[in-house]
Amino acid sequence: MIYADNAATTKMSKTAIAAMLPYLDGDFGNASSLYGFGQRAKEALENARQTVADCLHADVKGIYFTGGGSEADNQALESAAMIGARKGKKHIVSTKFEHHAILHKLDQLKSRGYEVTLVDVHEDGIVRPEEIAAAIREDTCLVTVMFANNEIGTIQPIAEIGAICRERGVLFHTDAVQAAGHIEIDVEAMNIDMLSLSGHKFHGPKGIGVLYAKKGIRLENIIYGGAQERGKRAGTENIPAIVGLATALSENIAHMQENTEKLTHLRDKLIAGLSEIPHSILNGDAVRRLPSNVHFCFEGIEGESLLLLLDAHGICASSGSACTSGSLDPSHVMLAIGRPHEIAHGSLRLSLGEDFTEEMAEEVIASVKEVVSYLRGMSPVWRNLCEGKTQFLLK
Ligand SMILES: *Cc1c(COP(=O)(O)O)cnc(C)c1O
């Protein structure tokens, strides 16, 4: 099997599993207990918090463990919204291609009287800082822009947007779930006030995430109960998962340079190979993208059929779109970068892991070429295009 869906989730790191095991087994204590045994868990918790802080160049007091990336996103937006409300500011700036954890929470805030401006994403999959600046108003309480897009992998100008927000005195949050552990993040240098990340996107466990909030930001609870996480996230701490997240994050960062070089080479090999398919297009900027992300649209193809046939070839990939979650609407990310519906449906996302090889890249290129021409061969839509009854949209 070739697993090329690391943007959806990743295989756990062996190092992280080994680091977690003692806390699943002998050291199962509750970090809130007073006896020495529970304190071992407490120590593991605080060491993990320090590790995560170091990985983000953040103050350790700003690190809160959550039940995942979605929860961290929700808590960040809820907190900024309530801070804004206390000052009479109820306007939020975001973008059209955020993850649904952001977009659906923004919908909920709209239903509570907040106004939301979603800034356009250009065809290259990059948001322009000056357009974010132009969207900020007197009553803006938050700007939230993702660090790297989960479908097309494009990396956003986070430091520039952070500088604008700092200058204008507006809180800045970034959903860094796809970026953390894969590309450089420095919350201080980039003027990031709040940031979300998730363990299972960098070889840590699922169901554990982090919300970073700069000193002075008052967080709102999503989960009420005990006083864990300085009263901001109730519930007995999931020590094994927290230790696994911190171990996987620091391991990934320790190998970031070599992984980046290796993956960038394989990514570009895949892009070159798949570009040979006629009437196809690479989505997102070719350079300002995650080293692991390859995303194409093929004209005259249904993304779902492509994925099913690739599965039959032993390749796990994704369309990167909402189609996979049972909806027939094309991906909001494809529409945000201006792909027409007909094209948006024929998309393929390959997200590589660090164990991806040259041979795998060659096999994937050959399989995609074969499957695309097979599907086109049976497609009435394709026949119409070839016979000139309808116009090709892609070169
Ligand atoms: C996966 C993902 C999330 C959600 O994280 P979970 O831990 O699965 O809840 C949020 N944002 C982005 C960009 C993601 O890729």
Side-chain angles (χ1 to χ4, degrees), residues 7 68-71 73 99 101 146 148 150 175 177-178 198 200-201:
S70 301
E71 186 184 313
D73 281 342
H99 190 273
M146 69 197 322
N150 49 300
D175 173 341
V177 174
Q178 290 290 332
S198 171
H200 74 102
K201 302 291 176 73

Side-chain angles (χ1 to χ4, degrees), residues 291-308:
S292 54
N293 180 288
V294 175
H295 194 293
F296 271 85
C297 282
F298 304 106
E299 190 157 11
I301 293 283
E302 276 296 332
E304 293 91 297
S305 322
L306 179 59
L307 296 183
L308 290 173

Side-chain angles (χ1 to χ4, degrees), residues 108-237:
Q108 190 252 4
L109 289 170
K110 275 201 272 190
S111 76
R112 288 160 50 190
Y114 288 82
E115 258 188 272
V116 175
T117 301
L118 295 182
V119 172
D120 272 321
V121 183
H122 287 234
E123 202 207 339
D124 59 8
I126 313 270
V127 173
R128 300 296 185 266
E130 58 274 21
E131 291 177 18
I132 297 288
I136 296 174
R137 314 192 309 211
E138 275 306 308
D139 61 344
T140 303
C141 60
L142 173 72
V143 170
T144 176
V145 177
M146 69 197 322
F147 210 118
N149 183 266
N150 49 300
E151 288 190 26
I152 57 177
T154 46
I155 299 168
Q156 305 307 309
I158 292 301
E160 287 91 326
I161 297 171
I164 290 166
C165 293
R166 184 60 46 94
E167 192 193 310
R168 303 282 292 272
V170 177
L171 279 180
F172 176 43
H173 167 259
T174 183
D175 173 341
V177 174
Q178 290 290 332
H182 302 287
I183 54 177
E184 192 62 49
I185 298 178
D186 184 330
V187 296
E188 285 298 331
M190 294 172 166
N191 285 315
I192 296 167
D193 297 314
M194 286 191 278
L195 174 146
S196 313
L197 60 81
S198 171
H200 74 102
K201 302 291 176 73
F202 48 75
H203 308 286
K206 295 173 183 53
I208 187 75
V210 167
L211 172 60
Y212 162 75
K214 193 183 160 78
K215 194 171 170 213
I217 294 174
R218 180 167 148 197
L219 291 184
E220 291 296 316
N221 285 59
I222 300 289
I223 310 287
Y224 293 87
Q228 292 91 352
E229 299 301 290
R230 273 170 260 112
K232 299 305 180 187
R233 206 288 179 176
T236 304
E237 302 88 345

